[in-house]
Amino acid sequence: MKPEQMEALRIDGSHGEGGGQILRSALTLSAITQKPIKIENIRHNRKIPGLRPSHLSTIKILGKICNAKIDGLSVGSTSITFSPGQIQDIKLQENVGTAGSISLILQAIIPAVALAGKKLELSISGGTDVPWSPTSNYTKFVLGEAFLRLGIKFEMNIKKRGYYPKGGGQIDLTVFPCRKLIPIHLSKRTTKNVKILCSFSGLNQNEISNSIASAKDVLQKQGFSTQSQITEDRALNPGASFLMYSHDSDSINGADELFDPKEEFGKNSTSAFVSSNFGADTNLSDMLVTPLALIREMSIFTVQQISTHLETNLYITSKITGCKYGVGKINSGYEIRITGLETSI
């Protein structure tokens, strides 16, 4: 049966964190599984309910990629129907406007394209490092590593930084077809090797360097070995992004933040990174769920806490794909087990 002939699966957009996460995850899974969906009560619990311009960008771009029929696509809309068509190899050039988050858009479209076995070449302008969103370095070096282990490969060139409020950054992205999804087991961080990446524009270089030195000092006192790279980039307005990350065979962890003149740059990320020795960091955990829900073998990872985004993604993936998952309490954290169904895709 063609997607347009199927009855749309109804999804309550107010569930869990009740924001943009449930929207992005549902749309991605709709495109992958070719199941039409109707999302209602979009951002019901937010101060300004309904779709915002940043959400429209994600929906429009994903709609182009999978030739979707979309109803309710307007700012303020609290209900949309998304009926996906076939995904094809495609080249796109997009501008999300001002500082709309490119990273959040990429979260939705990368797995959709790769798991359809297609290739995407995308040049996209907007916000590369903005509040309430992963930094572009996190997307490239942390999410990129996690997806690669799953069999999802993408290349990302950060050509120009775009900070809030003006944006104007540019990223060139290539997503490659995924031939086979691979289950993962991320149990505990054992490496003591950490990389720090910092990009800044229009700020005092000495202040930035001192912040990185402070972060390295904290890490070294905890027994970590550090490598750091500071890059001054051009941007439309001042800003800076900080990423600390590590990889080993049993873990992928990262912590990032943006420059805030009211706080010590990098302090929060350093504290978060040091305090967690689990298989995945809190932010990565929810990003893993969508592809893991489509693998019939069991995947297991540990995480320090169950975020509302993780809870939301576990809910929405099980609703759309029928995957099974379990959450177990372990010492100071949680273990997540996910098994997809052979018929998921």
Side-chain angles (χ1 to χ4, degrees), residues 8-128:
L9 176 66
R10 290 179 178 269
I11 294 168
D12 182 2
S14 67
H15 184 88
E17 61 90 33
Q21 183 66 52
I22 194 168
L23 184 74
R24 288 186 295 273
S25 298
L27 292 169
T28 300
L29 287 166
S30 173
I32 294 169
T33 62
Q34 294 286 285
K35 295 178 181 178
I37 57 173
K38 183 173 185 178
I39 309 175
E40 302 170 308
N41 301 318
I42 295 172
R43 301 180 72 252
H44 178 72
N45 299 322
R46 294 299 193 260
K47 186 176 180 179
I48 303 177
L51 296 173
R52 307 308 301 154
S54 59
H55 304 121
L56 294 185
S57 296
T58 301
I59 301 168
K60 287 178 180 177
I61 294 173
L62 191 57
K64 286 182 183 180
I65 289 170
C66 69
N67 300 294
K69 179 182 177 183
I70 309 170
D71 294 320
L73 190 58
S74 61
V75 172
S77 173
T78 59
S79 176
I80 66 164
T81 301
F82 187 88
S83 300
Q86 292 293 323
I87 297 177
Q88 303 295 334
D89 292 343
I90 191 171
K91 294 183 179 181
L92 290 175
Q93 186 166 343
E94 300 288 338
N95 187 341
V96 302
T98 61
S101 172
I102 295 174
S103 290
L104 291 180
I105 293 173
L106 300 190
Q107 273 187 41
I109 66 176
I110 289 172
V113 173
L115 298 184
K118 302 301 179 181
K119 182 177 181 180
L120 167 68
E121 295 179 51
L122 171 68
S123 180
I124 184 168
S125 300
T128 62

Side-chain angles (χ1 to χ4, degrees), residues 218-219 244 255 257 266-276 304:
V218 171
L219 287 170
M244 175 180 295
E257 66 181 89
K267 182 178 180 179
N268 291 334
S269 293
T270 303
S271 176
F273 184 88
V274 169
S275 68
S276 173
Q304 188 172 31

Side-chain angles (χ1 to χ4, degrees), residues 62-282:
L62 191 57
K64 286 182 183 180
I65 289 170
C66 69
N67 300 294
K69 179 182 177 183
I70 309 170
D71 294 320
L73 190 58
S74 61
V75 172
S77 173
T78 59
S79 176
I80 66 164
T81 301
F82 187 88
S83 300
Q86 292 293 323
I87 297 177
Q88 303 295 334
D89 292 343
I90 191 171
K91 294 183 179 181
L92 290 175
Q93 186 166 343
E94 300 288 338
N95 187 341
V96 302
T98 61
S101 172
I102 295 174
S103 290
L104 291 180
I105 293 173
L106 300 190
Q107 273 187 41
I109 66 176
I110 289 172
V113 173
L115 298 184
K118 302 301 179 181
K119 182 177 181 180
L120 167 68
E121 295 179 51
L122 171 68
S123 180
I124 184 168
S125 300
T128 62
D129 302 270
V130 297
W132 311 113
S133 168
T135 60
S136 51
N137 279 341
Y138 184 98
T139 301
K140 181 174 181 176
F141 295 102
V142 181
L143 182 62
E145 172 68 17
F147 273 8
L148 187 61
R149 295 192 196 186
L150 291 169
I152 300 172
K153 180 183 177 182
F154 66 89
E155 293 178 353
M156 183 174 161
N157 180 13
I158 307 166
K159 298 193 71 173
K160 183 181 178 183
R161 297 282 169 176
Y163 300 104
Y164 181 84
K166 292 186 177 180
Q170 182 181 339
I171 288 177
D172 289 349
L173 175 80
T174 303
V175 180
F176 298 94
C178 174
R179 303 304 179 191
K180 178 178 172 58
L181 277 172
I182 306 164
I184 58 169
H185 297 266
L186 302 174
S187 57
K188 185 179 181 179
R189 181 176 68 205
T190 57
T191 183
K192 286 292 185 177
N193 296 318
V194 182
K195 293 184 179 180
I196 299 174
L197 299 178
C198 176
S199 298
F200 75 98
S201 173
L203 298 173
N204 183 284
Q205 185 168 1
N206 288 335
E207 182 179 358
I208 297 295
S209 297
N210 289 339
S211 295
I212 302 305
S214 295
K216 292 175 70 173
D217 184 57
V218 171
L219 287 170
Q220 288 166 1
K221 288 178 179 178
Q222 295 293 326
F224 289 95
S225 174
T226 63
Q227 292 180 305
S228 63
Q229 179 179 332
I230 302 174
T231 306
E232 185 171 9
D233 296 309
R234 61 190 179 95
L236 296 182
N237 59 273
S241 70
F242 175 99
L243 171 67
M244 175 180 295
Y245 72 99
S246 68
H247 304 154
D248 61 43
S249 60
D250 294 314
S251 72
I252 303 169
N253 278 275
D256 62 348
E257 66 181 89
L258 302 177
F259 179 82
D260 183 342
K262 299 176 183 177
E263 299 182 359
E264 183 180 341
F265 187 44
K267 182 178 180 179
N268 291 334
S269 293
T270 303
S271 176
F273 184 88
V274 169
S275 68
S276 173
N277 286 315
F278 295 91
D281 68 75
T282 302

Side-chain angles (χ1 to χ4, degrees), residues 296-312:
R296 68 174 181 267
E297 296 92 350
M298 180 182 291
S299 290
I300 303 173
F301 65 87
T302 63
V303 66
Q304 188 172 31
Q305 64 185 36
I306 306 297
S307 67
T308 54
H309 280 167
L310 174 55
E311 188 275 333
T312 297

